[in-house]
Amino acid sequence: MQNVGLSIKKIKLCKKCNKERYANLSFCFQHYRQMAKEKRLLSLKRKLERKERSKKFQHNEWKKWHKKAWGVFSEHIRRRGANFQGLVECYTCYRMYRWQETNASHFHHGKADFYERNIKVCCVGCNLYKSGNLASYATRLVQEIGQEGMVELERVANTKLYTLEELKEIHEKYTNLLNNL
């Protein structure tokens, strides 16, 4: 009697460990999973490297550190002027508020964000609803720092742009100052 139609299957072996493997894979399941994991990790590593080199990532990183630095800088400005009860005077309307209810207001926005002569404590009404109440702000600022100080403030506002490292230093400096208040 002949074995007609019956064929003997060849057992396929893994290329790494010579264990039995699936017919559609070159490796056993254990090695296949290990290689797939390594491939996934390599892909993630390359993706992260591309992301870190991109300008968008660098800008987002800069924005993240600017926000962190502004948070501690703003709190420092508002808390340093507070009295023993936690009240601080609005720079433009002279009313007293709890320091938590105030904002750190700018005369020049953007480039002079962390220049202490540019930032003063203002109430929400003056800073947000009256757009900083700039007429009163400028009058008091000129009385406080003089015309030479205003020229210096203008110069700083037109030249200074903070780097990522400077933002990290500002964050660290004002965090330490807040801890000492």
Side-chain angles (χ1 to χ4, degrees):
M1 211 157 126
Q2 284 186 327
N3 290 338
V4 179
L6 296 176
S7 63
I8 299 173
K9 281 188 170 180
K10 282 187 179 179
I11 296 175
K12 298 189 176 184
L13 301 176
C14 174
K15 290 182 178 180
K16 288 192 174 186
C17 66
N18 292 329
K19 289 183 183 176
E20 189 176 344
R21 65 176 173 90
Y22 294 112
N24 60 340
L25 300 176
S26 299
F27 302 96
C28 65
F29 188 68
Q30 179 182 2
H31 284 111
Y32 177 76
R33 282 183 34 207
Q34 181 182 358
M35 289 174 23
K37 183 178 180 181
E38 289 170 359
K39 186 177 179 182
R40 226 178 14 257
L41 290 174
L42 183 63
S43 173
L44 288 173
K45 183 179 175 184
R46 287 181 182 157
K47 185 177 179 181
L48 183 63
E49 288 171 356
R50 275 195 316 270
K51 182 180 178 183
E52 287 175 354
R53 284 192 308 259
S54 75
K55 287 186 178 183
K56 182 178 179 183
F57 176 80
Q58 291 171 356
H59 181 68
N60 287 344
E61 190 74 7
W62 186 89
K63 281 176 25 180
K64 179 180 88 173
W65 278 100
H66 187 278
K67 187 175 182 177
K68 282 183 175 184
W70 175 251
V72 294
F73 181 76
S74 169
E75 185 176 342
H76 169 73
I77 294 293
R78 292 178 291 134
R79 283 179 63 187
R80 86 171 170 198
N83 63 16
F84 69 96
Q85 296 172 324
L87 298 176
V88 66
E89 180 184 57
C90 175
Y91 193 70
T92 57
C93 70
Y94 302 97
R95 292 190 190 130
M96 298 297 283
Y97 295 93
R98 289 184 21 211
W99 72 266
Q100 295 95 333
E101 298 171 350
T102 59
N103 296 131
S105 181
H106 304 71
F107 188 69
H108 287 288
H109 293 273
K111 293 182 180 177
D113 276 352
F114 301 103
Y115 187 61
E116 288 195 24
R117 293 179 106 179
N118 183 44
I119 312 295
K120 306 295 180 192
V121 178
C122 278
C123 66
V124 175
C126 290
N127 193 34
L128 298 180
Y129 302 121
K130 295 180 183 175
S131 300
N133 202 356
L134 288 179
S136 177
Y137 196 108
T139 304
R140 187 165 177 192
L141 196 59
V142 168
Q143 290 172 354
E144 189 177 300
I145 65 174
Q147 197 60 36
E148 297 81 25
M150 292 296 284
V151 171
E152 180 190 345
L153 182 60
E154 190 71 34
R155 182 187 56 77
V156 169
N158 290 328
T159 58
K160 186 70 175 165
L161 187 61
Y162 298 95
T163 63
L164 185 62
E165 289 75 27
E166 288 175 325
L167 291 174
K168 289 178 180 179
E169 289 171 10
I170 289 168
H171 179 263
E172 184 179 332
K173 174 185 173 184
Y174 286 101
T175 301
N176 292 336
L177 286 173
L178 278 176
N179 292 337
N180 295 334
L181 276 180

